[in-house]
Amino acid sequence: MQTARAVPASTVLNLRDLGGIALDGGRRVRPGAVLRSGQLSGLDAAQDSEVAALGIRTVVDLRTADERSAAPDRLPPGARLFVADVLGDNPGVAPARLRALLTDPAEAQRLLGGGKAEEMFAGTYRQMVLSPGAAAAHRAFVETVADDRARPVLFHCTAGKDRTGWAAALLLMMLGASREAVRAEFLAVNPVVRAAFAPYVRDFLDAGGDPEIASAISEVRPRYLDTALDAMDERWGGLEGYVRDGLRIPRAALERLLGGLVVPA
């Protein structure tokens, strides 16, 4: 199953071009039009000339205000910033606190031991589908990607795995990707994010931290995506109802999205 193309970058984590992913009807996502990554606070455009060459016009930041303040984006040359805070109505949840959760093994055990780490992350995925604030953020994200003048678009959170993972899944489903293709792309980031978090995980484990907690925090799991999909199906009866009634994306935006991003294979 084809997944996004990893774009070589030494100063941006987990940079991936969704172009080329297979869609129904023998079509695919337009290459070079929409990309995903982790935060851009360390971007060095001079060092990462390939990133500069992407011609990014819009960066969509899915992070909370605290995350943006602590690690402001450094934008690619010529790009503008658009904020779509997915967790704004509950910024204390797990994806916004990844490193903090790995700094205190005793506190992590108290809060997250006994399977609670996976439960908390799964709950966050449910919130990303059901909360009004997340719906507003995702609507803004989709409408931005649908705008021909905004592309190429790069969207990101902190590690580029949870909020970015669900945003990518949503976008791919709207374009006509199968759930199998969506799942493959969702899980494909694990090698990169595991490597990125390896120093923090090593320190956590050396200090007596629970490996299961570290694993649940530093990777994406099939259950996380399944929780989001189940919430979508239960509340709105599937993707069409979610897009129409949950996200309230205008029909014109959907047509622009498909017209701009779907190309023959």
Side-chain angles (χ1 to χ4, degrees), residues 206-231:
D206 288 346
D210 183 347
E212 167 58 23
I213 293 175
S215 174
I217 290 172
S218 61
E219 65 185 24
V220 292
R221 293 180 168 182
R223 183 187 172 190
Y224 299 163
L225 179 61
D226 288 342
T227 299
L229 293 172
D230 288 348

Side-chain angles (χ1 to χ4, degrees), residues 101-183:
L101 291 169
L102 291 172
T103 59
D104 188 338
E107 183 69 0
Q109 184 62 38
R110 184 181 72 82
L111 293 174
L112 304 174
K116 286 185 287 188
E118 181 174 292
E119 291 295 332
M120 181 169 68
F121 268 81
T124 297
Y125 275 77
R126 184 171 179 84
Q127 175 185 323
M128 287 195 290
V129 175
L130 299 180
S131 82
H138 288 126
R139 178 170 59 251
F141 161 66
V142 171
E143 290 180 337
T144 299
V145 175
D147 184 350
D148 290 342
R149 299 164 298 178
R151 296 192 301 267
V153 172
L154 170 61
F155 63 101
H156 75 89
C157 53
T158 294
K161 70 183 185 75
D162 296 302
R163 285 162 288 183
T164 300
W166 174 245
L170 169 63
L171 181 63
L172 290 171
M173 287 188 293
M174 291 178 66
L175 294 175
S178 67
R179 290 200 178 185
E180 291 73 19
V182 167
R183 186 179 305 277

Side-chain angles (χ1 to χ4, degrees), residues 21-252:
I21 291 179
L23 306 173
D24 60 14
R27 299 171 297 174
R28 62 185 178 121
V29 180
R30 180 185 298 278
V34 58
L35 301 96
R36 57 179 290 182
S37 74
Q39 67 191 36
L40 303 182
S41 58
L43 172 62
D44 184 334
Q47 180 177 335
D48 271 330
S49 58
E50 188 160 348
V51 176
L54 294 170
I56 300 297
R57 291 181 180 175
T58 309
V59 170
V60 179
D61 191 340
L62 306 175
R63 298 177 299 165
T64 65
D66 285 347
E67 290 173 290
R68 299 194 305 272
S69 176
D73 275 348
R74 301 180 66 179
L75 299 180
R80 70 179 182 97
L81 179 65
F82 185 87
V83 173
D85 183 351
V86 172
L87 301 177
D89 48 4
N90 187 8
V93 298
R97 300 169 54 218
L98 289 173
R99 292 181 183 175
L101 291 169
L102 291 172
T103 59
D104 188 338
E107 183 69 0
Q109 184 62 38
R110 184 181 72 82
L111 293 174
L112 304 174
K116 286 185 287 188
E118 181 174 292
E119 291 295 332
M120 181 169 68
F121 268 81
T124 297
Y125 275 77
R126 184 171 179 84
Q127 175 185 323
M128 287 195 290
V129 175
L130 299 180
S131 82
H138 288 126
R139 178 170 59 251
F141 161 66
V142 171
E143 290 180 337
T144 299
V145 175
D147 184 350
D148 290 342
R149 299 164 298 178
R151 296 192 301 267
V153 172
L154 170 61
F155 63 101
H156 75 89
C157 53
T158 294
K161 70 183 185 75
D162 296 302
R163 285 162 288 183
T164 300
W166 174 245
L170 169 63
L171 181 63
L172 290 171
M173 287 188 293
M174 291 178 66
L175 294 175
S178 67
R179 290 200 178 185
E180 291 73 19
V182 167
R183 186 179 305 277
E185 171 58 22
F186 180 76
L187 295 174
V189 304
N190 268 333
V192 173
V193 294
R194 286 180 186 132
F197 279 99
Y200 306 98
V201 169
R202 184 165 54 249
D203 289 346
F204 179 77
L205 298 179
D206 288 346
D210 183 347
E212 167 58 23
I213 293 175
S215 174
I217 290 172
S218 61
E219 65 185 24
V220 292
R221 293 180 168 182
R223 183 187 172 190
Y224 299 163
L225 179 61
D226 288 342
T227 299
L229 293 172
D230 288 348
M232 180 181 75
D233 292 343
E234 291 164 7
R235 177 67 64 87
W236 289 289
L239 177 68
E240 183 178 350
Y242 177 47
V243 170
R244 182 187 64 239
D245 302 324
L247 302 182
R248 299 182 181 180
I249 296 174
R251 170 57 58 181

